[in-house]
């Protein structure tokens, strides 16, 4: 039973990863201002420092995540697509891991994966910072639940 559960979890996480990459291809036809500005400011802040010439009221966490990914991916249009996809995967997989704590039934988890993926529909790339913040909140909830148990 444990082997079947691991296989099913791997399958669902693969589906989530595939969905995140497919949905993130939206960036090639609609580059919204928020993600574009954050991506550009993260690239510019490498040499100038974030608050020397570039100011934002959102804080440095999102910029640092983009800069961290750029160490491995470098900068560019395709690299921004991969960055955006990984942020979406982080959002969707953190939801899945939280659901996995509460339900052992395969059908319930599968339904929840489809419901989670539906939260991305009719959204543009401006919503990515909210998804990243929600990922951190969900990871904190997961750790809180594991600590409580």
């Amino acid at each position: 039973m444990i082997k079947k559960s691991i296989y099913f979890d791997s399958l669902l996480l693969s589906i989530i990863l595939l969905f995140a990459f497919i949905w993130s291809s939206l960036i090639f036809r609609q580059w919204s201002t928020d993600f574009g500005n954050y991506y550009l400011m993260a690239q510019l802040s490498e040499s100038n420092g974030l608050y020397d010439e570039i100011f934002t009221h959102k804080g440095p966490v999102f910029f640092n995540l983009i800069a961290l990914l750029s160490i491995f991916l470098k900068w560019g249009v395709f690299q921004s697509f991969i960055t955006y996809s990984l942020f979406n995967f982080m959002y969707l997989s953190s939801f899945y891991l939280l659901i996995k704590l509460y339900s052992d039934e395969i059908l319930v988890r599968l339904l929840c994966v489809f419901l989670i993926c539906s939260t991305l529909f009719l959204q543009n790339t401006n919503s990515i910072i909210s998804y990243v913040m929600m990922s951190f909140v969900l990871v904190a909830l997961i750790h809180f639940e594991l600590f409580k148990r």
Side-chain angles (χ1 to χ4, degrees):
M1 184 66 182
I2 293 175
K3 186 175 181 179
K4 184 177 179 180
S5 176
I6 292 172
Y7 173 74
F8 186 74
D9 288 338
S10 301
L11 180 67
L12 277 180
L13 285 173
S14 300
I15 289 171
I16 290 171
L17 181 66
L18 181 66
F19 180 80
F21 270 86
I22 290 171
W23 189 84
S24 297
S25 65
L26 168 76
I27 201 167
F28 289 122
R29 67 179 173 85
Q30 178 197 11
W31 185 288
S32 298
T33 56
D34 278 359
F35 181 70
N37 287 339
Y38 290 125
Y39 193 78
L40 179 64
M41 285 190 274
Q43 185 177 8
L44 293 175
S45 69
E46 267 191 342
S47 59
N48 297 331
L50 183 58
Y51 294 108
D52 291 341
E53 295 182 16
I54 300 167
F55 178 76
T56 180
H57 64 284
K58 296 288 188 181
V61 174
F62 193 62
F63 297 106
N64 291 338
L65 282 174
I66 293 173
L68 180 69
L69 286 174
S70 72
I71 291 171
F72 303 106
L73 301 174
K74 304 299 180 207
W75 299 103
V77 175
F78 188 71
Q79 289 84 351
S80 69
F81 162 70
I82 295 173
T83 301
Y84 190 71
S85 300
L86 290 175
F87 286 153
N88 281 321
F89 177 69
M90 187 171 72
Y91 167 71
L92 296 170
S93 62
S94 60
F95 259 119
Y96 175 69
L97 293 175
L98 184 65
I99 290 165
K100 186 179 170 189
L101 288 176
Y102 287 103
S103 176
D104 292 332
E105 294 183 34
I106 292 175
L107 188 59
V108 170
R109 285 196 270 174
L110 183 64
L111 179 64
C112 287
V113 164
F114 288 122
L115 288 173
I116 294 164
C117 290
S118 71
T119 63
L120 295 176
F121 286 109
L122 299 177
Q123 299 293 325
N124 58 18
T125 58
N126 286 334
S127 58
I128 193 63
I129 193 155
S130 299
Y131 292 151
V132 170
M133 288 189 305
M134 182 61 75
S135 299
F136 288 133
V137 169
L138 290 171
V139 168
L141 285 173
I142 291 168
H143 286 292
F144 177 72
E145 181 63 31
L146 290 174
F147 178 74
K148 193 172 77 172
R149 290 181 180 184

